[in-house]
Amino acid sequence: MIDLNADLGEGFGRWELTDDEGLLSVVSSANIACGFHAGDPSTMRRVCAAAAERGVAIGAQVAYRDLAGFGRRAMEVPEDELADEVAYQIGALRVFAEAAGARVAYVKPHGALYNRTVHDAAQARAVVSGVLLAGGGLPVLGLPGSLLLGTAGEAGLPAVAEAFADRGYTARGTLVPRREPGAVIHEPDAVVSRALDVALRGSVAAVGGGRVAAGARSLCVHGDTPGAVALARRVRQALREAGVRIEAFAR
């Protein structure tokens, strides 16, 4: 059994990046942008309503306040300020989830914040503090072995390990930075093969050779890559044919 998640609602105003409707027909969990790296109130409301209609779990994808850089630029934000901003984003999405008859079921950092909380104790504490401030004891989705998941567990929050079918891994088990070769896997057969490796073997090939542990309860397929919906469908079909049940880890 594994959860299949994707980043959704990553548009702003008239600009749309992800095929939200298409991806919602495939995934079991939707990481919805909360307005800091992408998303606006109308987009958040629309995607929450569509997710609720399809029975897809809603997650708050929190980020640095960085619309211009799509949340992928490292930023120095004081710990207490970042905690407030995380809580603010969760609260904003919660309004639209509850209006749709659903709820925010978990939290996942985005982009630079996701990668920063792997090794930065202060930023990991800030995200967890923001989740606690928002209330509800929400699960936190992150990279296995990260300080984020360790800090979440210590705070009594469910810590849920995630792997990526379409991202390259270093020999240390971290994601290859997007500015480096091999960061994003584009070849469909390779993405499908890696998804099966994660779900069935708990490991994945690393850039430069060898394998790294990648046991996870949730598997991410990015929504902003070319052909994302067709690729996500292939991944889902391959998992099901291999006997893996697709099911959200939180409701």
Side-chain angles (χ1 to χ4, degrees), residues 67-92:
L67 279 175
F70 197 59
R72 287 180 176 162
R73 298 184 292 190
M75 303 183 75
E76 298 300 327
V77 183
E79 187 174 333
D80 57 348
E81 182 178 333
L82 181 57
D84 292 342
E85 292 187 344
V86 167
Y88 178 94
Q89 292 175 77
I90 296 168

Side-chain angles (χ1 to χ4, degrees), residues 140-238:
V140 176
L141 189 59
L143 204 67
S146 64
L147 289 181
L148 174 65
L149 292 192
T151 305
E154 291 170 0
L157 298 174
V160 182
E162 175 186 38
F164 294 81
D166 53 5
R167 287 295 310 274
Y169 281 81
T170 70
R172 296 176 298 164
T174 57
L175 299 180
V176 175
R178 282 183 174 267
R179 64 180 179 276
E180 296 181 10
V184 180
I185 313 299
H186 294 287
E187 211 285 312
D189 288 342
V191 174
V192 170
S193 176
R194 292 166 72 84
L196 291 171
D197 280 348
V198 169
L200 301 176
R201 303 170 187 88
S203 67
V204 69
V207 171
R211 300 186 68 82
V212 295
R217 177 64 183 83
S218 187
L219 180 67
C220 180
V221 288
H222 280 91
D224 61 344
T225 54
V229 175
L231 183 55
R233 286 184 178 136
R234 280 196 58 184
V235 168
R236 183 183 178 98
Q237 180 180 352

